[in-house]
Amino acid sequence: SDFHALTSRQESDSWTFDVRSDDPQRTVRLSWSGPVNVLAHSRLIDTANGTEIKPVQDGVYDFVMKGNRRSFSWEFNARGSKK
């Protein structure tokens, strides 16, 4: 689990996190929930393949590890998505 708090004055933030597995072919599911206004201004990037996921409430992203470590970036921009 990964929790990243934002202060009420923050307009943007980004952070990276890794998923690790002892099985390089394991199927993994990321899931999230949170305030709708935060999710609406966020995006999740799978850095292995550049896939951009627009988070929705109680959303999920399934992927095959294809190695022992996979990196992701979560980006938040209160003024709208960066892309």
Side-chain angles (χ1 to χ4, degrees), residues 18-36:
D18 292 335
V19 175
R20 296 181 182 163
S21 173
D22 61 350
D23 179 356
Q25 295 306 312
R26 177 171 287 149
T27 298
V28 176
R29 171 171 280 183
L30 297 179
S31 61
W32 52 84
S33 63
V36 173

